mmCIF file of all heavy atoms in Angstrom:
data_model
loop_
_atom_site.group_PDB
_atom_site.id
_atom_site.type_symbol
_atom_site.label_atom_id
_atom_site.label_comp_id
_atom_site.label_asym_id
_atom_site.label_seq_id
_atom_site.Cartn_x
_atom_site.Cartn_y
_atom_site.Cartn_z
ATOM 1 N N MET A 1 81.083 39.916 82.130
ATOM 2 C CA MET A 1 81.164 41.369 82.191
ATOM 3 C C MET A 1 79.843 41.953 81.690
ATOM 4 O O MET A 1 79.406 41.658 80.586
ATOM 5 C CB MET A 1 82.343 41.836 81.333
ATOM 6 C CG MET A 1 82.581 43.320 81.420
ATOM 7 S SD MET A 1 83.985 43.806 80.394
ATOM 8 C CE MET A 1 85.210 43.957 81.660
ATOM 9 N N ALA A 2 79.193 42.750 82.476
ATOM 10 C CA ALA A 2 77.896 43.324 82.115
ATOM 11 C C ALA A 2 78.061 44.457 81.105
ATOM 12 O O ALA A 2 79.000 45.235 81.184
ATOM 13 C CB ALA A 2 77.194 43.838 83.366
ATOM 14 N N GLU A 3 77.114 44.505 80.168
ATOM 15 C CA GLU A 3 77.131 45.567 79.167
ATOM 16 C C GLU A 3 76.580 46.846 79.788
ATOM 17 O O GLU A 3 75.541 46.836 80.437
ATOM 18 C CB GLU A 3 76.266 45.153 77.971
ATOM 19 C CG GLU A 3 76.267 46.172 76.847
ATOM 20 C CD GLU A 3 75.403 45.724 75.682
ATOM 21 O OE1 GLU A 3 75.405 44.525 75.361
ATOM 22 O OE2 GLU A 3 74.717 46.575 75.116
ATOM 23 N N GLU A 4 77.307 47.957 79.613
ATOM 24 C CA GLU A 4 76.881 49.229 80.177
ATOM 25 C C GLU A 4 75.756 49.824 79.331
ATOM 26 O O GLU A 4 75.893 49.967 78.124
ATOM 27 C CB GLU A 4 78.066 50.195 80.212
ATOM 28 C CG GLU A 4 77.742 51.503 80.897
ATOM 29 C CD GLU A 4 78.950 52.413 80.968
ATOM 30 O OE1 GLU A 4 80.071 51.917 81.110
ATOM 31 O OE2 GLU A 4 78.728 53.627 80.891
ATOM 32 N N LYS A 5 74.619 50.137 79.966
ATOM 33 C CA LYS A 5 73.496 50.724 79.242
ATOM 34 C C LYS A 5 73.722 52.218 79.083
ATOM 35 O O LYS A 5 74.197 52.888 79.980
ATOM 36 C CB LYS A 5 72.190 50.473 79.980
ATOM 37 C CG LYS A 5 71.778 49.039 79.940
ATOM 38 C CD LYS A 5 70.294 48.906 80.009
ATOM 39 C CE LYS A 5 69.934 47.451 79.805
ATOM 40 N NZ LYS A 5 68.551 47.258 79.576
ATOM 41 N N LYS A 6 73.338 52.712 77.922
ATOM 42 C CA LYS A 6 73.453 54.143 77.668
ATOM 43 C C LYS A 6 72.190 54.832 78.164
ATOM 44 O O LYS A 6 71.129 54.238 78.202
ATOM 45 C CB LYS A 6 73.638 54.386 76.174
ATOM 46 C CG LYS A 6 74.906 53.759 75.663
ATOM 47 C CD LYS A 6 75.120 54.027 74.206
ATOM 48 C CE LYS A 6 76.346 53.242 73.796
ATOM 49 N NZ LYS A 6 77.092 53.733 72.749
ATOM 50 N N SER A 7 72.334 56.101 78.517
ATOM 51 C CA SER A 7 71.203 56.893 78.982
ATOM 52 C C SER A 7 70.772 57.854 77.890
ATOM 53 O O SER A 7 71.594 58.369 77.136
ATOM 54 C CB SER A 7 71.582 57.700 80.224
ATOM 55 O OG SER A 7 71.885 56.833 81.280
ATOM 56 N N CYS A 8 69.482 58.107 77.837
ATOM 57 C CA CYS A 8 68.908 59.060 76.891
ATOM 58 C C CYS A 8 69.518 60.439 77.149
ATOM 59 O O CYS A 8 69.612 60.885 78.297
ATOM 60 C CB CYS A 8 67.396 59.109 77.074
ATOM 61 S SG CYS A 8 66.555 60.311 76.022
ATOM 62 N N ASP A 9 69.934 61.113 76.070
ATOM 63 C CA ASP A 9 70.547 62.436 76.206
ATOM 64 C C ASP A 9 69.522 63.530 76.504
ATOM 65 O O ASP A 9 69.907 64.680 76.711
ATOM 66 C CB ASP A 9 71.335 62.783 74.933
ATOM 67 C CG ASP A 9 72.667 62.045 74.881
ATOM 68 O OD1 ASP A 9 73.405 62.093 75.874
ATOM 69 O OD2 ASP A 9 72.955 61.407 73.850
ATOM 70 N N LEU A 10 68.232 63.199 76.564
ATOM 71 C CA LEU A 10 67.226 64.191 76.942
ATOM 72 C C LEU A 10 66.674 63.912 78.341
ATOM 73 O O LEU A 10 66.777 64.746 79.220
ATOM 74 C CB LEU A 10 66.081 64.242 75.922
ATOM 75 C CG LEU A 10 65.055 65.333 76.196
ATOM 76 C CD1 LEU A 10 65.636 66.703 75.869
ATOM 77 C CD2 LEU A 10 63.792 65.113 75.415
ATOM 78 N N CYS A 11 66.134 62.711 78.549
ATOM 79 C CA CYS A 11 65.446 62.438 79.814
ATOM 80 C C CYS A 11 66.240 61.578 80.789
ATOM 81 O O CYS A 11 65.882 61.493 81.958
ATOM 82 C CB CYS A 11 64.096 61.786 79.536
ATOM 83 S SG CYS A 11 64.209 60.069 78.989
ATOM 84 N N GLY A 12 67.286 60.899 80.308
ATOM 85 C CA GLY A 12 68.112 60.093 81.190
ATOM 86 C C GLY A 12 67.681 58.640 81.355
ATOM 87 O O GLY A 12 68.366 57.875 82.017
ATOM 88 N N LEU A 13 66.559 58.246 80.759
ATOM 89 C CA LEU A 13 66.143 56.851 80.833
ATOM 90 C C LEU A 13 67.100 55.980 80.028
ATOM 91 O O LEU A 13 67.771 56.466 79.121
ATOM 92 C CB LEU A 13 64.720 56.692 80.296
ATOM 93 C CG LEU A 13 63.598 57.249 81.166
ATOM 94 C CD1 LEU A 13 62.253 57.135 80.435
ATOM 95 C CD2 LEU A 13 63.530 56.527 82.488
ATOM 96 N N PRO A 14 67.146 54.672 80.312
ATOM 97 C CA PRO A 14 68.032 53.780 79.546
ATOM 98 C C PRO A 14 67.625 53.718 78.071
ATOM 99 O O PRO A 14 66.437 53.704 77.750
ATOM 100 C CB PRO A 14 67.837 52.413 80.198
ATOM 101 C CG PRO A 14 67.165 52.661 81.493
ATOM 102 C CD PRO A 14 66.455 53.970 81.389
ATOM 103 N N VAL A 15 68.619 53.690 77.186
ATOM 104 C CA VAL A 15 68.367 53.526 75.751
ATOM 105 C C VAL A 15 68.311 52.032 75.484
ATOM 106 O O VAL A 15 69.323 51.346 75.549
ATOM 107 C CB VAL A 15 69.476 54.199 74.908
ATOM 108 C CG1 VAL A 15 69.286 53.904 73.434
ATOM 109 C CG2 VAL A 15 69.496 55.693 75.161
ATOM 110 N N GLU A 16 67.112 51.522 75.202
ATOM 111 C CA GLU A 16 66.925 50.090 75.005
ATOM 112 C C GLU A 16 66.712 49.732 73.547
ATOM 113 O O GLU A 16 66.813 48.573 73.175
ATOM 114 C CB GLU A 16 65.748 49.618 75.855
ATOM 115 C CG GLU A 16 65.926 50.022 77.305
ATOM 116 C CD GLU A 16 65.461 48.986 78.281
ATOM 117 O OE1 GLU A 16 64.935 47.960 77.873
ATOM 118 O OE2 GLU A 16 65.647 49.227 79.486
ATOM 119 N N VAL A 17 66.399 50.724 72.695
ATOM 120 C CA VAL A 17 66.171 50.495 71.274
ATOM 121 C C VAL A 17 67.140 51.370 70.493
ATOM 122 O O VAL A 17 67.183 52.581 70.700
ATOM 123 C CB VAL A 17 64.709 50.852 70.888
ATOM 124 C CG1 VAL A 17 64.488 50.665 69.402
ATOM 125 C CG2 VAL A 17 63.722 50.025 71.691
ATOM 126 N N ALA A 18 67.905 50.757 69.607
ATOM 127 C CA ALA A 18 68.856 51.523 68.789
ATOM 128 C C ALA A 18 68.110 52.249 67.672
ATOM 129 O O ALA A 18 67.014 51.866 67.280
ATOM 130 C CB ALA A 18 69.890 50.578 68.203
ATOM 131 N N GLY A 19 68.721 53.305 67.164
ATOM 132 C CA GLY A 19 68.160 53.981 66.000
ATOM 133 C C GLY A 19 67.670 55.389 66.243
ATOM 134 O O GLY A 19 67.462 56.142 65.308
ATOM 135 N N PHE A 20 67.458 55.761 67.491
ATOM 136 C CA PHE A 20 67.013 57.122 67.804
ATOM 137 C C PHE A 20 68.250 57.957 68.114
ATOM 138 O O PHE A 20 68.628 58.139 69.273
ATOM 139 C CB PHE A 20 66.036 57.132 68.979
ATOM 140 C CG PHE A 20 64.783 56.323 68.722
ATOM 141 C CD1 PHE A 20 64.508 55.201 69.475
ATOM 142 C CD2 PHE A 20 63.899 56.697 67.728
ATOM 143 C CE1 PHE A 20 63.367 54.461 69.249
ATOM 144 C CE2 PHE A 20 62.747 55.963 67.485
ATOM 145 C CZ PHE A 20 62.486 54.835 68.250
ATOM 146 N N THR A 21 68.918 58.447 67.058
ATOM 147 C CA THR A 21 70.163 59.196 67.223
ATOM 148 C C THR A 21 70.148 60.464 66.386
ATOM 149 O O THR A 21 69.423 60.563 65.388
ATOM 150 C CB THR A 21 71.380 58.350 66.803
ATOM 151 O OG1 THR A 21 71.243 58.003 65.429
ATOM 152 C CG2 THR A 21 71.509 57.096 67.638
ATOM 153 N N LEU A 22 70.942 61.427 66.789
ATOM 154 C CA LEU A 22 71.158 62.662 66.041
ATOM 155 C C LEU A 22 72.642 62.989 66.081
ATOM 156 O O LEU A 22 73.304 62.756 67.089
ATOM 157 C CB LEU A 22 70.379 63.827 66.658
ATOM 158 C CG LEU A 22 68.859 63.803 66.564
ATOM 159 C CD1 LEU A 22 68.268 64.914 67.415
ATOM 160 C CD2 LEU A 22 68.403 63.925 65.130
ATOM 161 N N LEU A 23 73.140 63.556 64.991
ATOM 162 C CA LEU A 23 74.524 64.026 64.961
ATOM 163 C C LEU A 23 74.533 65.509 65.293
ATOM 164 O O LEU A 23 73.811 66.293 64.687
ATOM 165 C CB LEU A 23 75.140 63.803 63.578
ATOM 166 C CG LEU A 23 75.308 62.352 63.159
ATOM 167 C CD1 LEU A 23 75.856 62.273 61.736
ATOM 168 C CD2 LEU A 23 76.225 61.623 64.107
ATOM 169 N N THR A 24 75.337 65.885 66.290
ATOM 170 C CA THR A 24 75.421 67.282 66.711
ATOM 171 C C THR A 24 76.880 67.731 66.680
ATOM 172 O O THR A 24 77.779 66.920 66.489
ATOM 173 C CB THR A 24 74.884 67.469 68.149
ATOM 174 O OG1 THR A 24 75.796 66.865 69.065
ATOM 175 C CG2 THR A 24 73.501 66.868 68.326
ATOM 176 N N LYS A 25 77.085 69.016 66.902
ATOM 177 C CA LYS A 25 78.442 69.558 66.944
ATOM 178 C C LYS A 25 79.247 68.953 68.087
ATOM 179 O O LYS A 25 80.461 68.905 68.033
ATOM 180 C CB LYS A 25 78.393 71.085 67.068
ATOM 181 C CG LYS A 25 77.818 71.748 65.836
ATOM 182 C CD LYS A 25 77.664 73.235 66.026
ATOM 183 C CE LYS A 25 76.996 73.857 64.812
ATOM 184 N NZ LYS A 25 76.701 75.280 65.013
ATOM 185 N N GLU A 26 78.573 68.479 69.140
ATOM 186 C CA GLU A 26 79.245 67.840 70.282
ATOM 187 C C GLU A 26 79.431 66.346 70.083
ATOM 188 O O GLU A 26 80.045 65.692 70.917
ATOM 189 C CB GLU A 26 78.452 68.061 71.578
ATOM 190 C CG GLU A 26 78.532 69.475 72.107
ATOM 191 C CD GLU A 26 77.478 70.370 71.478
ATOM 192 O OE1 GLU A 26 76.367 69.890 71.215
ATOM 193 O OE2 GLU A 26 77.779 71.542 71.231
ATOM 194 N N GLY A 27 78.859 65.783 69.041
ATOM 195 C CA GLY A 27 78.963 64.347 68.801
ATOM 196 C C GLY A 27 77.592 63.718 68.632
ATOM 197 O O GLY A 27 76.573 64.398 68.544
ATOM 198 N N LYS A 28 77.569 62.405 68.640
ATOM 199 C CA LYS A 28 76.338 61.644 68.448
ATOM 200 C C LYS A 28 75.518 61.627 69.740
ATOM 201 O O LYS A 28 76.031 61.323 70.809
ATOM 202 C CB LYS A 28 76.701 60.218 68.043
ATOM 203 C CG LYS A 28 75.543 59.320 67.758
ATOM 204 C CD LYS A 28 76.075 57.965 67.301
ATOM 205 C CE LYS A 28 74.992 56.939 67.214
ATOM 206 N NZ LYS A 28 75.534 55.622 66.859
ATOM 207 N N LYS A 29 74.239 61.972 69.630
ATOM 208 C CA LYS A 29 73.319 61.929 70.767
ATOM 209 C C LYS A 29 72.383 60.737 70.573
ATOM 210 O O LYS A 29 71.926 60.475 69.463
ATOM 211 C CB LYS A 29 72.481 63.212 70.855
ATOM 212 C CG LYS A 29 73.310 64.479 71.008
ATOM 213 C CD LYS A 29 73.916 64.576 72.371
ATOM 214 C CE LYS A 29 74.649 65.897 72.551
ATOM 215 N NZ LYS A 29 75.274 66.045 73.823
ATOM 216 N N GLU A 30 72.100 60.027 71.654
ATOM 217 C CA GLU A 30 71.216 58.862 71.599
ATOM 218 C C GLU A 30 70.013 59.080 72.509
ATOM 219 O O GLU A 30 70.146 59.657 73.590
ATOM 220 C CB GLU A 30 71.976 57.608 72.013
ATOM 221 C CG GLU A 30 73.123 57.299 71.058
ATOM 222 C CD GLU A 30 73.789 55.981 71.377
ATOM 223 O OE1 GLU A 30 73.111 54.948 71.243
ATOM 224 O OE2 GLU A 30 74.965 56.008 71.767
ATOM 225 N N PHE A 31 68.853 58.589 72.066
ATOM 226 C CA PHE A 31 67.606 58.817 72.781
ATOM 227 C C PHE A 31 66.848 57.514 72.986
ATOM 228 O O PHE A 31 66.998 56.566 72.221
ATOM 229 C CB PHE A 31 66.742 59.815 71.990
ATOM 230 C CG PHE A 31 67.478 61.090 71.690
ATOM 231 C CD1 PHE A 31 68.141 61.265 70.490
ATOM 232 C CD2 PHE A 31 67.569 62.097 72.635
ATOM 233 C CE1 PHE A 31 68.861 62.419 70.213
ATOM 234 C CE2 PHE A 31 68.289 63.258 72.386
ATOM 235 C CZ PHE A 31 68.938 63.411 71.164
ATOM 236 N N CYS A 32 66.004 57.492 74.037
ATOM 237 C CA CYS A 32 65.253 56.284 74.374
ATOM 238 C C CYS A 32 64.039 56.078 73.473
ATOM 239 O O CYS A 32 63.548 54.966 73.342
ATOM 240 C CB CYS A 32 64.821 56.321 75.842
ATOM 241 S SG CYS A 32 63.656 57.641 76.240
ATOM 242 N N CYS A 33 63.558 57.169 72.835
ATOM 243 C CA CYS A 33 62.362 57.055 72.004
ATOM 244 C C CYS A 33 62.324 58.190 70.975
ATOM 245 O O CYS A 33 63.094 59.150 71.053
ATOM 246 C CB CYS A 33 61.100 57.088 72.864
ATOM 247 S SG CYS A 33 60.829 58.673 73.691
ATOM 248 N N GLU A 34 61.400 58.071 70.046
ATOM 249 C CA GLU A 34 61.249 59.077 69.001
ATOM 250 C C GLU A 34 60.801 60.420 69.571
ATOM 251 O O GLU A 34 61.168 61.475 69.063
ATOM 252 C CB GLU A 34 60.244 58.586 67.960
ATOM 253 C CG GLU A 34 60.157 59.452 66.739
ATOM 254 C CD GLU A 34 59.241 58.877 65.676
ATOM 255 O OE1 GLU A 34 58.506 57.915 65.960
ATOM 256 O OE2 GLU A 34 59.263 59.412 64.560
ATOM 257 N N GLY A 35 60.036 60.405 70.647
ATOM 258 C CA GLY A 35 59.579 61.638 71.279
ATOM 259 C C GLY A 35 60.727 62.469 71.822
ATOM 260 O O GLY A 35 60.825 63.673 71.567
ATOM 261 N N CYS A 36 61.634 61.818 72.557
ATOM 262 C CA CYS A 36 62.801 62.537 73.096
ATOM 263 C C CYS A 36 63.686 63.044 71.964
ATOM 264 O O CYS A 36 64.200 64.157 72.018
ATOM 265 C CB CYS A 36 63.602 61.632 74.026
ATOM 266 S SG CYS A 36 62.835 61.420 75.658
ATOM 267 N N GLN A 37 63.853 62.243 70.929
ATOM 268 C CA GLN A 37 64.661 62.657 69.790
ATOM 269 C C GLN A 37 64.054 63.898 69.128
ATOM 270 O O GLN A 37 64.759 64.855 68.828
ATOM 271 C CB GLN A 37 64.760 61.526 68.767
ATOM 272 C CG GLN A 37 65.574 61.897 67.540
ATOM 273 C CD GLN A 37 65.533 60.816 66.475
ATOM 274 O OE1 GLN A 37 64.698 59.917 66.498
ATOM 275 N NE2 GLN A 37 66.451 60.884 65.541
ATOM 276 N N GLY A 38 62.748 63.901 68.938
ATOM 277 C CA GLY A 38 62.073 65.035 68.306
ATOM 278 C C GLY A 38 62.143 66.304 69.140
ATOM 279 O O GLY A 38 62.366 67.402 68.615
ATOM 280 N N ILE A 39 61.965 66.182 70.446
ATOM 281 C CA ILE A 39 62.032 67.347 71.334
ATOM 282 C C ILE A 39 63.442 67.921 71.333
ATOM 283 O O ILE A 39 63.636 69.130 71.205
ATOM 284 C CB ILE A 39 61.585 66.970 72.762
ATOM 285 C CG1 ILE A 39 60.089 66.671 72.768
ATOM 286 C CG2 ILE A 39 61.923 68.099 73.747
ATOM 287 C CD1 ILE A 39 59.589 66.035 74.045
ATOM 288 N N TYR A 40 64.453 67.052 71.438
ATOM 289 C CA TYR A 40 65.844 67.525 71.411
ATOM 290 C C TYR A 40 66.122 68.239 70.084
ATOM 291 O O TYR A 40 66.753 69.287 70.045
ATOM 292 C CB TYR A 40 66.813 66.365 71.604
ATOM 293 C CG TYR A 40 68.244 66.825 71.708
ATOM 294 C CD1 TYR A 40 68.814 67.082 72.947
ATOM 295 C CD2 TYR A 40 69.023 67.032 70.570
ATOM 296 C CE1 TYR A 40 70.123 67.534 73.059
ATOM 297 C CE2 TYR A 40 70.329 67.478 70.661
ATOM 298 C CZ TYR A 40 70.868 67.728 71.910
ATOM 299 O OH TYR A 40 72.159 68.178 72.007
ATOM 300 N N GLN A 41 65.635 67.658 68.993
ATOM 301 C CA GLN A 41 65.852 68.228 67.665
ATOM 302 C C GLN A 41 65.231 69.619 67.555
ATOM 303 O O GLN A 41 65.856 70.543 67.034
ATOM 304 C CB GLN A 41 65.250 67.290 66.620
ATOM 305 C CG GLN A 41 65.639 67.598 65.201
ATOM 306 C CD GLN A 41 65.217 66.488 64.256
ATOM 307 O OE1 GLN A 41 64.500 65.556 64.635
ATOM 308 N NE2 GLN A 41 65.667 66.565 63.026
ATOM 309 N N MET A 42 64.017 69.802 68.075
ATOM 310 C CA MET A 42 63.354 71.114 68.029
ATOM 311 C C MET A 42 64.088 72.147 68.877
ATOM 312 O O MET A 42 64.209 73.303 68.485
ATOM 313 C CB MET A 42 61.902 71.001 68.513
ATOM 314 C CG MET A 42 60.980 70.369 67.514
ATOM 315 S SD MET A 42 59.239 70.488 67.992
ATOM 316 C CE MET A 42 59.224 69.688 69.565
ATOM 317 N N LEU A 43 64.562 71.740 70.049
ATOM 318 C CA LEU A 43 65.211 72.679 70.967
ATOM 319 C C LEU A 43 66.648 73.023 70.586
ATOM 320 O O LEU A 43 67.194 74.011 71.067
ATOM 321 C CB LEU A 43 65.200 72.099 72.392
ATOM 322 C CG LEU A 43 63.826 71.925 73.032
ATOM 323 C CD1 LEU A 43 63.959 71.218 74.374
ATOM 324 C CD2 LEU A 43 63.134 73.262 73.196
ATOM 325 N N ASN A 44 67.256 72.201 69.733
ATOM 326 C CA ASN A 44 68.679 72.378 69.415
ATOM 327 C C ASN A 44 68.940 72.402 67.906
ATOM 328 O O ASN A 44 69.992 71.947 67.453
ATOM 329 C CB ASN A 44 69.492 71.247 70.056
ATOM 330 C CG ASN A 44 69.415 71.270 71.555
ATOM 331 O OD1 ASN A 44 70.079 72.056 72.200
ATOM 332 N ND2 ASN A 44 68.576 70.415 72.123
ATOM 333 N N GLU A 45 68.022 72.957 67.132
ATOM 334 C CA GLU A 45 68.150 72.955 65.673
ATOM 335 C C GLU A 45 69.480 73.530 65.196
ATOM 336 O O GLU A 45 70.071 73.022 64.246
ATOM 337 C CB GLU A 45 67.011 73.755 65.039
ATOM 338 C CG GLU A 45 65.691 73.037 65.060
ATOM 339 C CD GLU A 45 64.608 73.852 64.383
ATOM 340 O OE1 GLU A 45 64.881 74.405 63.305
ATOM 341 O OE2 GLU A 45 63.507 73.935 64.949
ATOM 342 N N ASP A 46 69.961 74.593 65.834
ATOM 343 C CA ASP A 46 71.189 75.249 65.396
ATOM 344 C C ASP A 46 72.450 74.463 65.745
ATOM 345 O O ASP A 46 73.539 74.793 65.289
ATOM 346 C CB ASP A 46 71.285 76.655 65.987
ATOM 347 C CG ASP A 46 71.262 76.658 67.514
ATOM 348 O OD1 ASP A 46 70.677 75.731 68.100
ATOM 349 O OD2 ASP A 46 71.815 77.605 68.104
ATOM 350 N N ASN A 47 72.319 73.402 66.530
ATOM 351 C CA ASN A 47 73.461 72.599 66.957
ATOM 352 C C ASN A 47 73.573 71.282 66.182
ATOM 353 O O ASN A 47 74.517 70.541 66.366
ATOM 354 C CB ASN A 47 73.338 72.311 68.464
ATOM 355 C CG ASN A 47 74.618 71.769 69.055
ATOM 356 O OD1 ASN A 47 75.710 72.126 68.631
ATOM 357 N ND2 ASN A 47 74.479 70.907 70.034
ATOM 358 N N LEU A 48 72.595 70.995 65.297
ATOM 359 C CA LEU A 48 72.578 69.718 64.588
ATOM 360 C C LEU A 48 73.435 69.778 63.334
ATOM 361 O O LEU A 48 73.557 70.816 62.683
ATOM 362 C CB LEU A 48 71.140 69.359 64.199
ATOM 363 C CG LEU A 48 70.162 69.219 65.349
ATOM 364 C CD1 LEU A 48 68.768 68.908 64.809
ATOM 365 C CD2 LEU A 48 70.587 68.120 66.322
ATOM 366 N N LEU A 49 74.023 68.639 63.004
ATOM 367 C CA LEU A 49 74.770 68.503 61.754
ATOM 368 C C LEU A 49 73.865 67.831 60.729
ATOM 369 O O LEU A 49 73.002 67.039 61.086
ATOM 370 C CB LEU A 49 76.018 67.645 61.979
ATOM 371 C CG LEU A 49 77.063 68.229 62.933
ATOM 372 C CD1 LEU A 49 78.206 67.226 63.101
ATOM 373 C CD2 LEU A 49 77.598 69.540 62.428
ATOM 374 N N PRO A 50 74.056 68.135 59.446
ATOM 375 C CA PRO A 50 73.225 67.503 58.425
ATOM 376 C C PRO A 50 73.470 65.992 58.358
ATOM 377 O O PRO A 50 74.575 65.528 58.646
ATOM 378 C CB PRO A 50 73.645 68.181 57.127
ATOM 379 C CG PRO A 50 74.932 68.845 57.418
ATOM 380 C CD PRO A 50 75.031 69.053 58.901
ATOM 381 N N GLU A 51 72.440 65.269 57.982
ATOM 382 C CA GLU A 51 72.572 63.818 57.801
ATOM 383 C C GLU A 51 73.459 63.561 56.596
ATOM 384 O O GLU A 51 73.753 64.462 55.824
ATOM 385 C CB GLU A 51 71.183 63.183 57.563
ATOM 386 C CG GLU A 51 70.247 63.336 58.744
ATOM 387 C CD GLU A 51 70.658 62.499 59.941
ATOM 388 O OE1 GLU A 51 71.149 61.378 59.729
ATOM 389 O OE2 GLU A 51 70.501 62.979 61.060
ATOM 390 N N ASP A 52 73.858 62.314 56.411
ATOM 391 C CA ASP A 52 74.682 61.956 55.244
ATOM 392 C C ASP A 52 73.977 62.376 53.959
ATOM 393 O O ASP A 52 72.804 62.081 53.779
ATOM 394 C CB ASP A 52 74.897 60.439 55.197
ATOM 395 C CG ASP A 52 76.026 60.000 56.105
ATOM 396 O OD1 ASP A 52 76.560 60.810 56.882
ATOM 397 O OD2 ASP A 52 76.350 58.822 56.006
ATOM 398 N N THR A 53 74.680 63.064 53.106
ATOM 399 C CA THR A 53 74.135 63.448 51.809
ATOM 400 C C THR A 53 74.809 62.603 50.752
ATOM 401 O O THR A 53 76.027 62.609 50.621
ATOM 402 C CB THR A 53 74.357 64.939 51.528
ATOM 403 O OG1 THR A 53 75.748 65.219 51.681
ATOM 404 C CG2 THR A 53 73.565 65.812 52.477
ATOM 405 N N GLN A 54 73.996 61.827 50.037
ATOM 406 C CA GLN A 54 74.561 60.918 49.039
ATOM 407 C C GLN A 54 74.159 61.328 47.662
ATOM 408 O O GLN A 54 73.187 61.864 47.386
ATOM 409 C CB GLN A 54 74.108 59.497 49.300
ATOM 410 C CG GLN A 54 74.619 59.009 50.628
ATOM 411 C CD GLN A 54 74.164 57.571 50.912
ATOM 412 O OE1 GLN A 54 73.482 56.953 50.123
ATOM 413 N NE2 GLN A 54 74.546 57.061 52.060
#
């Protein structure tokens, strides 16, 4: 059974490296690279949830 690849929530390219994620009001968003993650973060600041506070 083939593993389903996830698509970047900004550009749609396959997510091949884990770790580029953001928590939003709609749920967890995953990105293919740090650039897409940063652009999404800038454009959607009011939709982001705070990171874990310890």
Side-chain angles (χ1 to χ4, degrees):
M1 185 180 259
E3 182 180 321
E4 185 178 326
K5 290 209 174 192
K6 298 182 185 208
S7 296
C8 177
D9 283 310
L10 185 73
C11 73
L13 288 175
V15 174
E16 306 218 357
V17 178
F20 300 116
T21 61
L22 291 171
L23 294 177
T24 70
K25 293 175 184 174
E26 287 86 36
K28 182 177 170 184
K29 301 288 185 181
E30 297 186 65
F31 306 95
C32 65
C33 66
E34 188 175 11
C36 284
Q37 179 186 15
I39 291 169
Y40 185 93
Q41 192 170 8
M42 285 189 302
L43 295 174
N44 297 282
E45 285 182 44
D46 59 332
N47 193 33
L48 300 178
L49 296 177
E51 297 290 324
D52 278 8
T53 54
Q54 297 180 0

